[in-house]
Amino acid sequence: DTGVSQDPRHKITKRGQNVTFRCDPISEHNRLYWYRQTLGQGPEFLTYFQNEAQLEKSRLLSDRFSAERPKGSFSTLEIQRTEQGDSAMYLCASSGQGAYGYTFGSGTRLTVV
Amino acid sequence: GNSVTQMEGPVTLSEEAFLTINCTYTATGYPSLFWYVQYPGEGLQLLLKATKADDKGSNKGFEATYRKETTSFHLEKGSVQVSDSAVYFCALSDDYKLSFGAGTTVTVRA
């Protein structure tokens, strides 16, 4: 098992463009999470899946953000009409149960210019 | 709601010095507490955890004790090494969601 994989590692996009990130969790983990980390801050929770069901969305996740986890395996996070304020590191994590067994990916760094 | 406040950095130490990073929390109920570490260029890694009051988490020479009476979970290491240079995050969870502090950057000089 190679852990949690995220792709791409870096993304530079122009304001107003759409971007999509992918996360491949640890295969036996049924829970998957997205967090956002801005410079000098700790990660902030965005959303959570248990298998294919999206069970919670943070108020940070505006209508321009959408996340999916088809078939309960990999997940995608899409940001439409990107804004400069969306520039951040987007972290994916997976766990088998609760917060004890979290494994984080290395993240996707988004820069909106 | 849940929140975590940790000591602001950056912290710069000499090798073999004693390290303490303060962390206090606010939570409803009885959360689990964590310290995560982020080495340069790498993802977040769990350093240690404690799930109930008076529990002590330990790993790689680091320790932290869950103090319910002071709502604290301070991280300590008796003798740091250059390889301990990293950003350290205190976090809590009452179920599946983690709430993080802002992080403390630690630099250890040889």
Side-chain angles (χ1 to χ4, degrees), chain A:
Chain A
D1 196 336
T2 56
V4 177
S5 299
Q6 291 188 245
D7 183 69
R9 292 292 302 271
H10 303 275
K11 178 71 177 179
I12 301 174
T13 191
K14 292 183 179 179
R15 190 173 51 189
Q17 297 295 304
N18 298 345
V19 294
T20 300
F21 311 140
R22 178 181 170 119
C23 171
D24 287 273
I26 291 175
S27 56
E28 58 265 32
H29 285 175
N30 61 351
R31 298 186 178 199
L32 186 146
Y33 315 83
W34 286 97
Y35 285 76
R36 181 171 67 187
Q37 184 178 13
T38 53
L39 199 62
Q41 299 298 316
E44 297 173 293
F45 173 81
L46 292 179
T47 191
Y48 153 60
F49 290 86
Q50 183 157 332
N51 299 312
E52 66 274 13
Q54 187 174 19
L55 298 185
E56 184 174 345
K57 292 172 61 174
S58 163
R59 285 173 292 179
L60 292 175
L61 218 61
S62 75
D63 291 344
R64 297 184 297 105
F65 288 71
S66 63
E68 295 182 343
R69 193 183 182 196
K71 303 179 183 178
S73 56
F74 71 92
S75 175
T76 57
L77 178 67
E78 181 183 16
I79 309 174
Q80 296 183 327
R81 305 182 302 282
T82 52
E83 301 173 356
Q84 285 190 322
D86 297 331
S87 296
M89 178 74 85
Y90 290 84
L91 298 170
C92 178
S94 67
S95 76
Q97 183 175 359
Y100 306 131
Y102 260 64
T103 300
F104 279 91
S106 296
T108 293
R109 181 169 296 284
L110 173 67
T111 303
V112 181
V113 297

Side-chain angles (χ1 to χ4, degrees), chain A residues 9 31 33 35 37 40-43 45 48 56 91 98-100 102 104-105, chain B residues 32 34 36 38 41 43-44 46 49 51 89 93 95-98 100-102:
Chain A
R9 292 292 302 271
R31 298 186 178 199
Y33 315 83
Y35 285 76
Q37 184 178 13
Q41 299 298 316
F45 173 81
Y48 153 60
E56 184 174 345
L91 298 170
Y100 306 131
Y102 260 64
F104 279 91
Chain B
S32 295
F34 306 83
Y36 278 82
Q38 191 169 33
L44 277 167
L46 177 65
K49 67 178 187 289
T51 58
F89 294 94
S93 175
D95 183 10
Y96 55 84
K97 185 166 54 179
L98 287 167
F100 287 88

